[in-house]
Amino acid sequence: MQNNSRKKVRRKNPMLFCFLAALLIVLIIIFAFLAANSRQSTGELQAAYDKDAAFQPSPSPTVRLVSVTPDPYLVTHVPQPSPTPSFLSVGSEGEMVRQLQQRLKELDYYTGEVDGQYGSGTREAVRFFQYQHGLENDGVAGQQTLAVLYSNQAKPCPYTPMPQPEPEVTETIVVQTPAPVLATPSVPLMGYGASGESVVQLQQRLQQLGYYTGSVDGQYGNGTAEAVKIFQSQNGLSADGIAGEKTIHILFSANAKYITITPTPSPVYLTGENILLLVNRQNKLPEDFVPGDLVKVKDICGDNVLYASQNIQGVRVAVVALNEMIAAAKADGIGPWKIREGYRTIADQQEIFDNSVYTFRKDGQTKSQAISSTRQTVADPGCSEHHTGLAFDLNANNPDLPFADTAQYAWLQKHCWEHGFIMRYTDEKEHITGFLGEEWHVRYVGTEHSLKMRDMGLCLEEYIIWLDNQ
Ligand SMILES: [Zn+2]
Protein backbone atom coordinates (compact mmCIF):
# COMPACT_ATOMS: atom_id res chain seq x y z
CA MET A 1 0.00 0.00 0.00
CA GLN A 2 2.68 2.54 0.96
CA ASN A 3 4.92 1.72 -2.03
CA ASN A 4 2.08 2.45 -4.30
CA SER A 5 1.34 5.86 -2.86
CA ARG A 6 5.11 6.89 -3.02
CA LYS A 7 5.35 6.03 -6.68
CA LYS A 8 2.32 8.12 -7.17
CA VAL A 9 3.93 11.17 -5.52
CA ARG A 10 7.10 10.90 -7.66
CA ARG A 11 5.17 10.67 -10.83
CA LYS A 12 2.93 13.53 -9.83
CA ASN A 13 5.82 15.96 -8.90
CA PRO A 14 8.71 15.57 -11.44
CA MET A 15 9.46 19.28 -11.17
CA LEU A 16 9.95 19.14 -7.39
CA PHE A 17 12.35 16.15 -7.79
CA CYS A 18 14.49 18.04 -10.30
CA PHE A 19 14.63 21.08 -8.04
CA LEU A 20 15.80 19.04 -5.02
CA ALA A 21 18.47 17.31 -7.09
CA ALA A 22 19.80 20.65 -8.32
CA LEU A 23 19.83 22.04 -4.80
CA LEU A 24 21.84 19.05 -3.60
CA ILE A 25 24.45 19.56 -6.35
CA VAL A 26 24.79 23.26 -5.46
CA LEU A 27 25.27 22.38 -1.78
CA ILE A 28 28.00 19.83 -2.67
CA ILE A 29 29.83 22.46 -4.74
CA ILE A 30 29.63 25.04 -1.92
CA PHE A 31 30.90 22.50 0.60
CA ALA A 32 33.85 21.51 -1.62
CA PHE A 33 34.76 25.18 -2.07
CA LEU A 34 34.67 25.84 1.68
CA ALA A 35 36.73 22.75 2.38
CA ALA A 36 39.43 23.85 -0.09
CA ASN A 37 39.52 27.29 1.55
CA SER A 38 39.81 25.86 5.04
CA ARG A 39 42.75 23.72 3.96
CA GLN A 40 44.61 26.75 2.68
CA SER A 41 43.99 28.88 5.78
CA THR A 42 45.29 26.35 8.34
CA GLY A 43 48.57 26.11 6.41
CA GLU A 44 51.53 24.09 7.65
CA LEU A 45 49.96 22.92 10.89
CA GLN A 46 47.23 21.27 8.92
CA ALA A 47 49.78 19.71 6.58
CA ALA A 48 51.64 18.20 9.51
CA TYR A 49 48.45 17.01 11.01
CA ASP A 50 47.45 15.28 7.77
CA LYS A 51 50.19 12.70 8.27
CA ASP A 52 48.24 11.41 11.22
CA ALA A 53 44.86 11.85 9.65
CA ALA A 54 44.88 8.42 8.09
CA PHE A 55 44.56 6.70 11.47
CA GLN A 56 43.02 9.50 13.51
CA PRO A 57 39.56 9.82 12.07
CA SER A 58 38.32 13.30 12.96
CA PRO A 59 40.73 15.24 15.12
CA SER A 60 41.23 18.98 14.96
CA PRO A 61 44.68 20.49 15.73
CA THR A 62 43.38 21.72 19.08
CA VAL A 63 42.20 18.30 20.16
CA ARG A 64 45.51 16.82 19.14
CA LEU A 65 47.49 19.22 21.39
CA VAL A 66 45.35 18.38 24.40
CA SER A 67 45.73 14.68 23.84
CA VAL A 68 49.55 14.74 24.07
CA THR A 69 49.65 16.67 27.37
CA PRO A 70 50.32 14.03 30.06
CA ASP A 71 47.72 13.82 32.75
CA PRO A 72 49.60 14.11 36.06
CA TYR A 73 47.02 12.05 37.88
CA LEU A 74 47.37 9.16 35.48
CA VAL A 75 51.16 9.29 35.58
CA THR A 76 51.48 9.24 39.38
CA HIS A 77 48.74 6.71 39.91
CA VAL A 78 49.90 4.02 37.55
CA PRO A 79 49.96 0.96 39.82
CA GLN A 80 53.56 -0.30 40.36
CA PRO A 81 54.05 -4.04 40.43
CA SER A 82 55.56 -4.76 43.87
CA PRO A 83 56.34 -8.37 44.65
CA THR A 84 56.31 -8.86 48.42
CA PRO A 85 57.90 -12.11 49.54
CA SER A 86 56.83 -13.15 53.04
CA PHE A 87 60.46 -13.28 54.25
CA LEU A 88 64.03 -12.53 53.21
CA SER A 89 66.97 -14.72 54.11
CA VAL A 90 70.43 -15.75 52.94
CA GLY A 91 70.28 -16.13 49.17
CA SER A 92 67.47 -13.58 48.69
CA GLU A 93 68.27 -10.75 46.34
CA GLY A 94 66.79 -7.70 44.71
CA GLU A 95 65.15 -4.44 45.61
CA MET A 96 63.59 -5.67 48.88
CA VAL A 97 67.02 -6.78 50.10
CA ARG A 98 68.50 -3.48 49.01
CA GLN A 99 65.87 -1.61 51.04
CA LEU A 100 66.50 -3.89 54.00
CA GLN A 101 70.24 -3.23 53.84
CA GLN A 102 69.65 0.50 53.47
CA ARG A 103 67.41 0.54 56.53
CA LEU A 104 69.83 -1.58 58.59
CA LYS A 105 72.59 0.76 57.52
CA GLU A 106 70.63 3.83 58.60
CA LEU A 107 70.27 2.20 62.01
CA ASP A 108 73.99 1.27 62.08
CA TYR A 109 73.45 -2.49 62.16
CA TYR A 110 74.83 -3.05 58.68
CA THR A 111 78.18 -1.77 57.52
CA GLY A 112 78.48 -3.70 54.28
CA GLU A 113 77.65 -2.72 50.75
CA VAL A 114 74.02 -2.06 49.81
CA ASP A 115 74.05 -4.52 46.92
CA GLY A 116 70.71 -6.30 47.19
CA GLN A 117 72.43 -9.61 48.04
CA TYR A 118 71.39 -11.23 51.33
CA GLY A 119 74.68 -12.74 52.43
CA SER A 120 76.10 -13.55 55.84
CA GLY A 121 76.81 -9.87 56.59
CA THR A 122 73.15 -9.00 56.08
CA ARG A 123 72.11 -12.02 58.08
CA GLU A 124 74.31 -11.03 61.03
CA ALA A 125 72.97 -7.47 60.89
CA VAL A 126 69.38 -8.81 60.91
CA ARG A 127 70.25 -11.21 63.70
CA PHE A 128 71.67 -8.44 65.83
CA PHE A 129 68.72 -6.16 65.07
CA GLN A 130 66.37 -8.95 66.15
CA TYR A 131 68.35 -9.55 69.29
CA GLN A 132 68.19 -5.85 70.16
CA HIS A 133 64.41 -5.88 69.71
CA GLY A 134 63.57 -9.05 71.59
CA LEU A 135 62.68 -10.92 68.40
CA GLU A 136 63.71 -14.47 67.67
CA ASN A 137 67.20 -13.82 66.31
CA ASP A 138 67.33 -16.27 63.47
CA GLY A 139 68.83 -13.85 60.95
CA VAL A 140 65.78 -14.27 58.72
CA ALA A 141 63.87 -11.08 57.94
CA GLY A 142 60.31 -12.35 58.36
CA GLN A 143 57.14 -10.26 58.49
CA GLN A 144 57.47 -9.51 62.19
CA THR A 145 61.09 -8.42 61.87
CA LEU A 146 60.34 -6.30 58.81
CA ALA A 147 57.36 -4.70 60.56
CA VAL A 148 59.51 -3.67 63.52
CA LEU A 149 62.41 -2.64 61.30
CA TYR A 150 60.32 -0.22 59.27
CA SER A 151 58.36 1.09 62.24
CA ASN A 152 59.34 3.98 64.44
CA GLN A 153 60.03 1.44 67.19
CA ALA A 154 63.23 0.41 65.45
CA LYS A 155 66.12 1.41 67.69
CA PRO A 156 69.50 2.28 66.29
CA CYS A 157 72.40 -0.07 66.95
CA PRO A 158 73.79 0.71 70.40
CA TYR A 159 77.31 -0.10 69.37
CA THR A 160 79.63 2.57 67.95
CA PRO A 161 82.08 1.33 65.35
CA MET A 162 85.76 1.32 66.26
CA PRO A 163 87.29 4.57 65.16
CA GLN A 164 89.45 4.10 62.12
CA PRO A 165 93.07 5.24 62.34
CA GLU A 166 93.07 8.96 61.75
CA PRO A 167 95.58 11.05 59.93
CA GLU A 168 98.49 11.76 62.22
CA VAL A 169 98.52 14.81 64.47
CA THR A 170 101.86 16.14 65.65
CA GLU A 171 102.39 14.55 69.01
CA THR A 172 103.33 17.35 71.33
CA ILE A 173 101.35 17.89 74.49
CA VAL A 174 99.83 21.32 74.75
CA VAL A 175 98.13 21.78 78.10
CA GLN A 176 95.69 24.64 77.82
CA THR A 177 93.80 27.02 80.10
CA PRO A 178 92.21 27.43 82.65
CA ALA A 179 95.57 26.79 84.33
CA PRO A 180 98.56 28.81 83.11
CA VAL A 181 100.30 27.03 80.24
CA LEU A 182 102.43 24.22 81.58
CA ALA A 183 105.89 23.21 80.55
CA THR A 184 105.73 20.49 77.90
CA PRO A 185 106.02 17.19 79.76
CA SER A 186 109.00 14.99 79.04
CA VAL A 187 106.85 12.15 77.68
CA PRO A 188 105.81 12.59 74.05
CA LEU A 189 102.17 11.92 74.93
CA MET A 190 100.33 11.34 78.18
CA GLY A 191 99.16 7.83 78.64
CA TYR A 192 99.41 4.91 81.00
CA GLY A 193 102.57 5.20 83.14
CA ALA A 194 103.06 8.97 82.76
CA SER A 195 103.48 11.05 85.91
CA GLY A 196 104.08 14.57 87.11
CA GLU A 197 102.46 17.98 87.29
CA SER A 198 100.69 17.74 83.92
CA VAL A 199 99.03 14.48 85.08
CA VAL A 200 97.93 16.28 88.27
CA GLN A 201 96.26 18.96 86.19
CA LEU A 202 94.67 16.35 83.97
CA GLN A 203 93.27 14.49 86.98
CA GLN A 204 91.98 17.70 88.57
CA ARG A 205 90.16 18.70 85.43
CA LEU A 206 88.68 15.22 84.98
CA GLN A 207 87.58 15.28 88.61
CA GLN A 208 85.95 18.68 88.18
CA LEU A 209 83.88 17.33 85.30
CA GLY A 210 82.93 14.16 87.18
CA TYR A 211 85.00 11.66 85.17
CA TYR A 212 87.70 10.92 87.73
CA THR A 213 86.98 9.76 91.28
CA GLY A 214 90.45 8.52 92.28
CA SER A 215 93.15 10.43 94.13
CA VAL A 216 94.94 13.30 92.42
CA ASP A 217 98.43 11.81 92.68
CA GLY A 218 100.00 12.70 89.35
CA GLN A 219 100.23 9.02 88.39
CA TYR A 220 98.60 8.05 85.08
CA GLY A 221 97.26 4.62 86.05
CA ASN A 222 94.23 2.56 85.09
CA GLY A 223 91.82 4.92 86.87
CA THR A 224 93.11 7.96 84.98
CA ALA A 225 93.16 6.10 81.66
CA GLU A 226 89.58 4.94 82.27
CA ALA A 227 88.46 8.50 83.08
CA VAL A 228 90.17 9.83 79.95
CA LYS A 229 88.47 7.13 77.92
CA ILE A 230 85.00 7.97 79.25
CA PHE A 231 85.67 11.65 78.67
CA GLN A 232 86.75 10.90 75.11
CA SER A 233 83.75 8.73 74.32
CA GLN A 234 81.33 11.33 75.70
CA ASN A 235 83.00 14.21 73.90
CA GLY A 236 83.15 12.78 70.41
CA LEU A 237 86.79 11.71 70.53
CA SER A 238 88.22 8.29 69.77
CA ALA A 239 88.30 6.60 73.17
CA ASP A 240 91.88 5.33 73.47
CA GLY A 241 92.59 6.52 77.03
CA ILE A 242 95.57 8.55 75.85
CA ALA A 243 95.60 12.26 76.53
CA GLY A 244 96.85 13.53 73.21
CA GLU A 245 96.70 17.05 71.83
CA LYS A 246 93.08 16.89 70.72
CA THR A 247 91.84 15.40 74.00
CA ILE A 248 93.72 17.95 76.12
CA HIS A 249 92.45 20.77 73.95
CA ILE A 250 88.80 19.84 74.40
CA LEU A 251 89.18 18.82 78.05
CA PHE A 252 90.42 22.26 79.08
CA SER A 253 88.06 24.17 76.84
CA ALA A 254 84.64 25.55 77.72
CA ASN A 255 83.16 22.92 75.40
CA ALA A 256 84.14 20.03 77.68
CA LYS A 257 80.98 18.24 78.76
CA TYR A 258 80.24 17.01 82.28
CA ILE A 259 79.96 13.25 82.63
CA THR A 260 76.66 11.55 81.69
CA ILE A 261 75.86 8.45 83.69
CA THR A 262 74.30 5.72 81.58
CA PRO A 263 72.29 2.88 83.10
CA THR A 264 73.88 -0.54 83.44
CA PRO A 265 73.04 -2.63 80.36
CA SER A 266 70.85 -5.67 80.76
CA PRO A 267 72.58 -9.02 80.35
CA VAL A 268 72.08 -11.23 77.31
CA TYR A 269 71.27 -14.85 78.04
CA LEU A 270 73.16 -17.18 75.76
CA THR A 271 70.64 -19.98 75.53
CA GLY A 272 68.96 -21.69 72.57
CA GLU A 273 70.30 -20.42 69.27
CA ASN A 274 72.21 -17.67 71.08
CA ILE A 275 74.67 -20.32 72.17
CA LEU A 276 76.13 -20.04 68.65
CA LEU A 277 76.76 -16.29 69.02
CA LEU A 278 79.44 -15.54 66.47
CA VAL A 279 82.15 -13.13 67.52
CA ASN A 280 85.04 -12.39 65.20
CA ARG A 281 86.67 -9.46 63.41
CA GLN A 282 83.57 -8.94 61.25
CA ASN A 283 81.04 -9.68 63.97
CA LYS A 284 81.65 -7.33 66.79
CA LEU A 285 79.65 -7.23 69.99
CA PRO A 286 78.08 -3.97 71.16
CA GLU A 287 80.18 -2.06 73.68
CA ASP A 288 77.76 -2.71 76.52
CA PHE A 289 77.40 -6.43 75.85
CA VAL A 290 77.27 -8.50 79.05
CA PRO A 291 76.38 -12.19 79.07
CA GLY A 292 73.79 -13.33 81.58
CA ASP A 293 74.29 -16.01 84.24
CA LEU A 294 78.01 -15.48 84.79
CA VAL A 295 79.56 -17.53 87.56
CA LYS A 296 83.02 -17.84 89.05
CA VAL A 297 84.67 -20.90 87.56
CA LYS A 298 86.11 -21.74 90.96
CA ASP A 299 82.62 -21.95 92.47
CA ILE A 300 81.78 -24.86 90.16
CA CYS A 301 85.11 -26.51 89.35
CA GLY A 302 86.53 -26.19 92.87
CA ASP A 303 89.82 -28.04 93.23
CA ASN A 304 89.24 -30.02 90.06
CA VAL A 305 91.43 -27.51 88.18
CA LEU A 306 94.13 -24.89 88.75
CA TYR A 307 93.47 -21.21 88.15
CA ALA A 308 95.59 -18.42 86.74
CA SER A 309 93.29 -16.14 88.72
CA GLN A 310 90.73 -16.96 91.38
CA ASN A 311 88.26 -14.57 89.76
CA ILE A 312 87.93 -16.16 86.32
CA GLN A 313 84.29 -16.22 85.26
CA GLY A 314 82.20 -17.95 82.63
CA VAL A 315 78.57 -18.55 81.70
CA ARG A 316 77.15 -21.20 84.03
CA VAL A 317 76.17 -23.76 81.36
CA ALA A 318 79.69 -23.61 79.89
CA VAL A 319 81.43 -23.80 83.27
CA VAL A 320 79.35 -26.84 84.26
CA ALA A 321 80.31 -28.55 80.97
CA LEU A 322 83.95 -27.57 81.51
CA ASN A 323 83.92 -29.16 84.94
CA GLU A 324 82.44 -32.38 83.54
CA MET A 325 84.97 -32.43 80.71
CA ILE A 326 87.92 -32.04 83.05
CA ALA A 327 86.52 -34.69 85.39
CA ALA A 328 86.27 -37.05 82.39
CA ALA A 329 89.87 -36.29 81.37
CA LYS A 330 91.10 -36.95 84.88
CA ALA A 331 89.15 -40.21 84.96
CA ASP A 332 91.16 -41.11 81.83
CA GLY A 333 94.32 -40.27 83.79
CA ILE A 334 94.91 -36.94 81.99
CA GLY A 335 95.83 -33.93 84.16
CA PRO A 336 96.52 -31.51 85.67
CA TRP A 337 94.50 -28.75 84.03
CA LYS A 338 94.81 -25.04 84.48
CA ILE A 339 92.31 -22.38 83.43
CA ARG A 340 94.13 -19.36 82.18
CA GLU A 341 91.32 -17.20 80.80
CA GLY A 342 87.54 -17.14 80.75
CA TYR A 343 85.10 -14.28 80.45
CA ARG A 344 86.66 -10.96 79.54
CA THR A 345 84.76 -7.67 79.49
CA ILE A 346 84.99 -5.40 76.49
CA ALA A 347 86.60 -2.82 78.77
CA ASP A 348 89.28 -5.40 79.71
CA GLN A 349 89.94 -6.00 76.05
CA GLN A 350 90.02 -2.27 75.38
CA GLU A 351 92.64 -1.88 78.08
CA ILE A 352 94.77 -4.69 76.69
CA PHE A 353 94.43 -3.17 73.24
CA ASP A 354 95.14 0.40 74.35
CA ASN A 355 98.16 -0.53 76.43
CA SER A 356 99.61 -2.34 73.46
CA VAL A 357 98.93 0.63 71.15
CA TYR A 358 100.50 2.96 73.71
CA THR A 359 103.61 0.80 73.98
CA PHE A 360 104.08 0.81 70.20
CA ARG A 361 103.56 4.58 70.09
CA LYS A 362 106.15 5.13 72.79
CA ASP A 363 108.49 3.13 70.57
CA GLY A 364 107.99 5.80 67.93
CA GLN A 365 105.24 4.33 65.77
CA THR A 366 102.43 6.54 64.45
CA LYS A 367 98.93 5.90 65.74
CA SER A 368 97.87 3.86 62.72
CA GLN A 369 101.13 1.88 62.73
CA ALA A 370 100.66 1.13 66.45
CA ILE A 371 97.09 -0.05 65.85
CA SER A 372 98.23 -2.33 63.02
CA SER A 373 101.04 -3.76 65.14
CA THR A 374 98.62 -4.41 68.00
CA ARG A 375 96.07 -6.15 65.77
CA GLN A 376 98.65 -8.78 64.86
CA THR A 377 98.32 -10.26 68.34
CA VAL A 378 95.36 -8.63 70.10
CA ALA A 379 91.69 -8.82 69.07
CA ASP A 380 89.84 -5.53 68.77
CA PRO A 381 87.60 -4.79 71.73
CA GLY A 382 84.25 -6.42 71.05
CA CYS A 383 85.80 -8.96 68.68
CA SER A 384 87.15 -11.45 71.23
CA GLU A 385 85.20 -14.61 71.82
CA HIS A 386 86.09 -14.35 75.51
CA HIS A 387 83.41 -11.62 75.79
CA THR A 388 80.74 -14.29 75.42
CA GLY A 389 81.75 -16.09 78.64
CA LEU A 390 81.59 -19.31 76.60
CA ALA A 391 85.32 -19.51 75.78
CA PHE A 392 88.21 -20.68 77.94
CA ASP A 393 91.95 -20.88 77.56
CA LEU A 394 93.34 -24.02 79.12
CA ASN A 395 96.81 -25.31 79.72
CA ALA A 396 98.64 -28.19 81.36
CA ASN A 397 100.38 -26.03 83.95
CA ASN A 398 103.66 -27.09 82.40
CA PRO A 399 105.74 -24.06 81.42
CA ASP A 400 108.40 -26.27 79.80
CA LEU A 401 106.16 -27.82 77.20
CA PRO A 402 104.05 -26.11 74.54
CA PHE A 403 100.42 -27.04 75.14
CA ALA A 404 100.25 -28.56 71.65
CA ASP A 405 102.79 -31.17 72.76
CA THR A 406 100.99 -32.26 75.92
CA ALA A 407 98.80 -35.27 76.66
CA GLN A 408 96.14 -32.80 77.79
CA TYR A 409 95.95 -31.28 74.32
CA ALA A 410 95.83 -34.70 72.63
CA TRP A 411 92.93 -35.67 74.92
CA LEU A 412 91.14 -32.34 74.43
CA GLN A 413 91.38 -32.51 70.66
CA LYS A 414 89.78 -35.95 70.72
CA HIS A 415 87.14 -35.54 73.43
CA CYS A 416 86.14 -31.89 73.85
CA TRP A 417 83.30 -32.37 71.30
CA GLU A 418 81.61 -34.96 73.50
CA HIS A 419 81.24 -32.29 76.18
CA GLY A 420 79.86 -29.54 73.96
CA PHE A 421 83.16 -27.77 73.30
CA ILE A 422 84.85 -27.05 69.97
CA MET A 423 88.47 -26.35 69.09
CA ARG A 424 87.68 -22.86 67.92
CA TYR A 425 90.87 -21.82 66.12
CA THR A 426 92.85 -24.27 64.07
CA ASP A 427 95.60 -23.51 61.56
CA GLU A 428 93.63 -25.13 58.75
CA LYS A 429 90.68 -22.75 59.28
CA GLU A 430 92.75 -19.62 59.77
CA HIS A 431 91.61 -18.22 56.41
CA ILE A 432 88.01 -18.35 57.69
CA THR A 433 88.33 -17.52 61.39
CA GLY A 434 90.94 -14.84 60.87
CA PHE A 435 93.00 -16.17 63.79
CA LEU A 436 96.05 -18.37 63.86
CA GLY A 437 95.59 -21.75 65.52
CA GLU A 438 95.06 -21.55 69.28
CA GLU A 439 95.05 -25.10 70.57
CA TRP A 440 94.41 -23.91 74.15
CA HIS A 441 91.20 -22.04 73.29
CA VAL A 442 87.92 -23.94 73.56
CA ARG A 443 84.44 -22.59 72.99
CA TYR A 444 81.22 -24.03 74.36
CA VAL A 445 78.36 -24.52 71.86
CA GLY A 446 76.57 -27.54 73.37
CA THR A 447 76.75 -31.15 72.18
CA GLU A 448 73.87 -30.69 69.74
CA HIS A 449 76.21 -28.56 67.65
CA SER A 450 79.71 -29.63 68.69
CA LEU A 451 79.23 -33.23 67.54
CA LYS A 452 77.91 -32.15 64.14
CA MET A 453 80.76 -29.71 63.72
CA ARG A 454 83.26 -32.45 64.54
CA ASP A 455 81.63 -34.92 62.13
CA MET A 456 81.43 -32.42 59.29
CA GLY A 457 84.79 -30.80 60.02
CA LEU A 458 83.27 -27.30 60.09
CA CYS A 459 84.43 -24.29 62.07
CA LEU A 460 81.80 -22.06 63.68
CA GLU A 461 81.63 -19.61 60.75
CA GLU A 462 81.09 -22.49 58.31
CA TYR A 463 78.64 -24.28 60.57
CA ILE A 464 76.40 -21.24 60.93
CA ILE A 465 76.18 -20.95 57.15
CA TRP A 466 75.49 -24.68 56.90
CA LEU A 467 72.70 -24.37 59.51
CA ASP A 468 71.16 -21.49 57.61
CA ASN A 469 70.89 -23.59 54.50
CA GLN A 470 69.06 -26.43 56.24
ZN1 LIG B 1 91.32 -17.62 74.14
Side-chain angles (χ1 to χ4, degrees):
M1 274 285 281
Q2 282 190 344
N3 269 352
N4 264 353
S5 74
R6 211 175 260 175
K7 280 177 187 167
K8 264 185 196 166
V9 172
R10 262 191 207 169
R11 261 187 234 119
K12 280 182 182 170
N13 300 291
M15 286 298 290
L16 180 64
F17 179 74
C18 286
F19 172 75
L20 286 173
L23 186 65
L24 187 64
I25 289 162
V26 169
L27 282 172
I28 290 169
I29 290 166
I30 291 169
F31 183 77
F33 176 77
L34 286 174
N37 250 9
S38 150
R39 188 162 288 233
Q40 276 175 350
S41 68
T42 47
E44 287 181 358
L45 184 60
Q46 185 68 34
Y49 156 71
D50 281 346
K51 284 185 191 170
D52 293 335
F55 45 90
Q56 287 195 350
S58 60
S60 73
T62 319
V63 169
R64 188 164 166 265
L65 283 173
V66 169
S67 73
V68 297
T69 307
D71 180 339
Y73 179 85
L74 285 177
V75 168
T76 53
H77 288 76
V78 172
Q80 299 291 324
S82 53
T84 43
S86 58
F87 69 90
L88 299 168
S89 63
V90 171
S92 298
E93 53 184 27
E95 189 50 33
M96 293 275 294
V97 177
R98 194 182 301 275
Q99 284 172 15
L100 175 77
Q101 290 170 327
Q102 190 60 50
R103 178 69 174 153
L104 288 167
K105 197 161 202 162
E106 278 165 22
L107 296 170
D108 286 335
Y109 290 89
Y110 182 64
T111 52
E113 207 181 316
V114 177
D115 58 2
Q117 307 287 326
Y118 200 117
S120 58
T122 307
R123 181 197 62 214
E124 288 312 313
V126 168
R127 185 173 276 181
F128 191 52
F129 174 84
Q130 291 170 322
Y131 154 67
Q132 285 298 329
H133 292 78
L135 298 160
E136 189 195 345
N137 58 337
D138 54 6
V140 175
Q143 281 175 342
Q144 204 192 355
T145 298
L146 292 172
V148 178
L149 180 67
Y150 290 108
S151 77
N152 53 16
Q153 267 142 42
K155 293 175 279 188
C157 181
Y159 130 77
T160 334
M162 262 294 285
Q164 291 305 303
E166 294 153 20
E168 240 11 66
V169 184
T170 320
E171 288 303 341
T172 34
I173 296 287
V174 184
V175 178
Q176 299 212 345
T177 51
V181 178
L182 296 171
T184 308
S186 54
V187 284
L189 71 163
M190 263 198 288
Y192 190 85
S195 62
E197 183 55 29
S198 54
V199 178
V200 168
Q201 297 219 356
L202 176 76
Q203 290 173 330
Q204 280 170 343
R205 181 64 170 162
L206 288 166
Q207 198 175 52
Q208 193 182 17
L209 298 172
Y211 294 93
Y212 184 64
T213 51
S215 60
V216 178
D217 56 4
Q219 302 295 320
Y220 203 115
N222 282 338
T224 308
E226 201 51 44
V228 168
K229 221 181 286 174
I230 299 168
F231 172 79
Q232 289 169 324
S233 71
Q234 295 195 4
N235 287 268
L237 296 157
S238 79
D240 59 5
I242 298 167
E245 187 182 14
K246 223 155 120 188
T247 299
I248 293 291
H249 178 78
I250 293 176
L251 180 64
F252 287 95
S253 76
N255 294 328
K257 289 184 211 148
Y258 282 85
I259 193 169
T260 310
I261 308 292
T262 44
T264 319
S266 44
V268 177
Y269 292 92
L270 299 173
T271 54
E273 267 200 27
N274 280 350
I275 203 81
L276 293 174
L277 181 65
L278 182 64
V279 183
N280 57 24
R281 292 191 208 281
Q282 288 76 40
N283 295 275
K284 194 170 173 173
L285 289 170
E287 260 171 43
D288 60 356
F289 178 87
V290 178
D293 211 9
L294 280 173
V295 293
K296 262 192 193 175
V297 177
K298 196 173 192 327
D299 290 346
I300 287 175
C301 298
D303 294 334
N304 212 3
V305 288
L306 302 164
Y307 305 93
S309 150
Q310 301 298 308
N311 296 320
I312 297 173
Q313 291 179 296
V315 169
R316 183 184 303 273
V317 63
V319 177
V320 168
L322 181 70
N323 190 40
E324 286 169 7
M325 178 168 76
I326 286 171
K330 288 174 110 175
D332 287 349
I334 307 296
W337 294 86
K338 185 175 186 176
I339 300 182
R340 229 176 36 159
E341 284 268 11
Y343 170 62
R344 201 186 287 158
T345 65
I346 293 175
D348 292 338
Q349 189 72 19
Q350 185 78 54
E351 195 174 313
I352 294 167
F353 195 91
D354 295 342
N355 286 345
S356 168
V357 170
Y358 182 60
T359 306
F360 284 116
R361 288 184 79 178
K362 275 205 298 193
D363 290 347
Q365 293 193 4
T366 65
K367 187 171 181 178
S368 50
Q369 283 169 341
I371 289 173
S372 301
S373 304
T374 297
R375 283 196 174 131
Q376 288 171 11
T377 52
V378 181
D380 278 43
C383 299
S384 166
E385 204 175 46
H386 286 281
H387 298 321
T388 62
L390 299 171
F392 302 96
D393 291 344
L394 307 175
N395 74 21
N397 199 33
N398 182 350
D400 300 327
L401 205 58
F403 185 62
D405 297 338
T406 62
Q408 281 87 334
Y409 173 61
W411 187 93
L412 195 65
Q413 206 179 19
K414 198 169 169 205
H415 297 288
C416 71
W417 319 90
E418 299 152 20
H419 301 275
F421 284 93
I422 60 170
M423 305 297 298
R424 180 70 177 91
Y425 305 115
T426 60
D427 284 341
E428 54 162 344
K429 301 288 184 185
E430 186 203 338
H431 62 290
I432 300 167
T433 64
F435 284 92
L436 279 166
E438 289 184 4
E439 49 278 352
W440 56 85
H441 179 113
V442 290
R443 156 77 191 266
Y444 182 74
V445 292
T447 48
E448 182 199 340
H449 303 296
S450 63
L451 293 172
K452 284 187 209 158
M453 288 169 76
R454 176 194 64 186
D455 295 345
M456 295 187 292
L458 301 179
C459 68
L460 188 55
E461 282 84 356
E462 294 171 305
Y463 180 69
I464 287 172
I465 292 169
W466 176 82
L467 262 190
D468 264 353
N469 294 323
Q470 292 313 294

